[in-house]
């Protein structure tokens, strides 16, 4: 990835000064190219174009932990967001949704970054400081049927108010959801009343959406526990269910087990799960463990329009995103698997966070953390607190939902094509090496 700032930007303005410092600190070959800024006022169309470029830039940067942890870089991006949208710093009300649809209204500054808003939400809900790090804010798009499509996890350097309002559509929302993957960490959260209620509300919501796979008997047991208001027991049972705590993506296409195969991808429990239906067969599932991914990368391309002429009504081709990972199919065989999805960057970020969590656990560490304190040394506390509402009882299971047959824990039951390395011009610097892969032993195969 390469970094380039026009001379007009590098010589003037706070962002330009930060750009120079960053270029000096990290060098010209580490940072991706930053969207150029013009000397004159931008037209509404140019503002929207720069917003899109800045959003893609921030998602690309998030995949590099070195840059994501740089305060100089984060400060640079925060100013760039405000400058692009021309948003003055002022106090505003921001709506954040819980998993069950409950609205939490918090008072924040337009210049507040993600952790500031997360702290404000935690204060409103009376969530203890030491549990804030167990939750994250996500930008989602509400679909016509009321379900959510996850756009991305809001990063530390983002300004949530600017991010959601710049999209200029009521269908985009900010949602609070747990940020970890290992259900063992549920114990820490469940010790607290508010943490327990947040986990419970999220789990009920995920079951209703069909994200968590439940049989009729399991559904009956869960509903019985709900009626008894046995939230901990409810969660203990839910933890045993397939896809508990997973994040599901929109339907997309993969080249596994064959080219252009329609799949639904879910991420969780240190794996990517692909639900698919082969011709004449029932719904099946293949699981790819993150510890068996040697590396992965996200690439983008603009496909040529079909036919000899441009597609009608389109001034430019849509950018196609692909997540490709090299997977250890058997002890001596690595194979590339490619998923084509607008959410490819989000999938990549999920993989990275699962690897990070595995490495922390392997080193004997803990994800329990306190977010940084402000200069004044105090967190803002809300004058009026809000309780997490208990979700309604589970509805009857959807009769149209099918049970799935697992392909194989090792995927050996499927005839796999030789796919080879993805045909992209991605450089080696775009590949994310997997440190968790190094610990694979014969017992894992």
């Amino acid at each position: 990835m390469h970094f380039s700032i026009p001379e007009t930007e590098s010589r003037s303005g706070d962002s330009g000064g930060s750009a120079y410092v960053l270029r000096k600190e990290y060098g010209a070959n580490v940072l991706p190219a930053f969207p150029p800024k013009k000397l004159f006022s931008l037209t509404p169309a140019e503002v929207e174009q720069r917003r899109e470029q800045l959003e893609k830039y921030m998602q690309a940067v998030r995949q590099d932990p070195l840059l994501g942890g740089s305060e100089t870089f984060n400060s640079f991006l925060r100013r760039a967001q405000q400058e692009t949208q021309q948003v003055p710093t002022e106090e505003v009300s921001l709506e954040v949704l819980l998993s069950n649809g409950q609205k939490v209204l918090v008072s924040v500054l337009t210049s507040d970054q993600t952790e500031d808003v997360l702290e404000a939400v935690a204060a409103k809900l009376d969530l203890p400081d030491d549990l804030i790090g167990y939750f994250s804010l996500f930008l989602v798009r509400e679909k016509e049927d009321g379900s959510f499509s996850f756009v991305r996890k809001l990063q530390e350097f983002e300004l949530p108010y600017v991010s959601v309002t710049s999209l200029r559509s009521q269908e985009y929302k900010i949602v609070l959801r747990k940020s970890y993957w290992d259900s063992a960490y549920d114990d820490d959260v469940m010790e607290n009343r508010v943490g327990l209620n947040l986990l419970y509300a999220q789990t009920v919501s995920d079951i209703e959406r069909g994200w968590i796979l439940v049989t009729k008997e399991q559904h009956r047991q869960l509903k019985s526990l709900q009626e008894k208001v046995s939230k901990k027991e409810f969660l203990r049972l839910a933890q045993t269910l397939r896809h508990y705590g997973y994040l599901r993506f929109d339907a997309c296409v993969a080249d596994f087990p064959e080219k252009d195969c329609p799949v639904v991808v879910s991420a969780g429990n240190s794996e990517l799960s692909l639900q698919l239906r082969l011709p004449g067969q029932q719904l099946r599932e293949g699981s790819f463990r993150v510890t068996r991914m040697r590396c992965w990368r996200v690439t983008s391309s603009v496909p040529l329009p079909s036919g000899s002429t441009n597609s009608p009504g389109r001034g430019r081709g849509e950018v196609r995103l692909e997540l490709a990972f090299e997977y250890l199919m058997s002890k001596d065989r690595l194979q590339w698997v490619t998923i084509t999805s607008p959410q490819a960057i989000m999938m990549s970020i999920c993989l990275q966070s699962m690897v990070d969590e595995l490495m922390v656990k392997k080193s004997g560490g803990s994800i329990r953390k306190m977010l940084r304190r402000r200069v004044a040394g105090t967190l803002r506390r809300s004058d009026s607190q809000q309780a997490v509402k208990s979700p309604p009882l589970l509805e009857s299971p959807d009769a149209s939902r099918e049970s799935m047959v697992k392909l194989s824990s090792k995927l050996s039951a499927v005839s796999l094509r030789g796919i080879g390395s993805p045909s992209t011009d991605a450089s080696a610097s775009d590949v994310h090496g997997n440190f968790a892969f190094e610990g694979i032993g014969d017992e894992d195969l």
Side-chain angles (χ1 to χ4, degrees), residues 165-219:
T165 57
S166 66
L167 292 166
R168 295 179 175 83
S169 174
Q170 295 297 316
E171 64 182 8
Y172 289 96
K173 316 282 185 183
I174 295 177
V175 170
L176 179 74
R177 187 177 174 86
K178 73 176 185 179
S179 60
Y180 57 90
W181 302 100
D182 189 340
S183 61
Y185 294 121
D186 284 350
D187 291 345
D188 296 342
V189 180
M190 289 165 61
E191 290 175 0
N192 173 263
R193 172 185 54 83
V194 178
L196 173 63
N197 289 338
L198 286 171
L199 277 186
Y200 177 68
Q202 176 178 313
T203 304
V204 172
S205 176
D206 286 356
I207 292 173
E208 292 287 17
R209 288 192 189 110
W211 286 19
I212 298 176
L213 309 181
V214 184
T215 66
K216 288 184 178 180
E217 175 57 25
Q218 290 166 339
H219 191 281

Side-chain angles (χ1 to χ4, degrees), residues 2-12 15-16 19 23 32-43 45-57 76-77 80-81 83-85:
H2 302 283
F3 178 76
S4 62
I5 293 289
E7 289 301 312
T8 54
E9 184 162 5
S10 62
R11 291 178 180 174
S12 62
S15 293
R23 182 164 52 188
F34 187 77
K37 182 174 71 175
K38 296 183 178 180
L39 286 173
F40 306 103
S41 298
L42 299 176
T43 65
E46 288 173 330
V47 169
E48 175 59 20
Q49 182 183 29
R50 184 172 168 83
R51 183 199 65 76
E52 291 179 357
Q53 293 171 338
L54 189 59
E55 182 173 314
K56 289 186 177 70
Y57 182 82
F76 168 54
L77 283 177
Q81 292 170 77
E83 289 173 4
T84 297
Q85 296 302 324

Side-chain angles (χ1 to χ4, degrees), residues 295-361:
C295 61
W296 69 86
R297 63 187 174 196
V298 175
T299 56
S300 62
S301 61
V302 181
L304 294 173
S306 58
S308 57
T309 60
N310 291 334
S311 300
R314 291 191 180 183
R316 58 183 180 179
E318 288 187 4
V319 175
R320 183 174 70 179
L321 290 173
E322 294 181 342
L323 169 69
F325 55 88
E326 194 174 20
Y327 195 75
L328 189 65
M329 293 291 183
S330 59
K331 187 174 182 179
D332 299 313
R333 186 166 69 95
L334 286 161
Q335 179 174 318
W336 283 94
V337 176
T338 301
I339 300 169
T340 303
S341 166
Q343 296 171 298
I345 295 177
M346 177 77 174
M347 293 178 189
S348 174
I349 291 173
C350 287
L351 287 177
Q352 186 60 57
S353 63
M354 283 191 275
V355 169
D356 292 344
E357 193 172 295
L358 283 171
M359 297 308 292
V360 167
K361 194 168 186 178

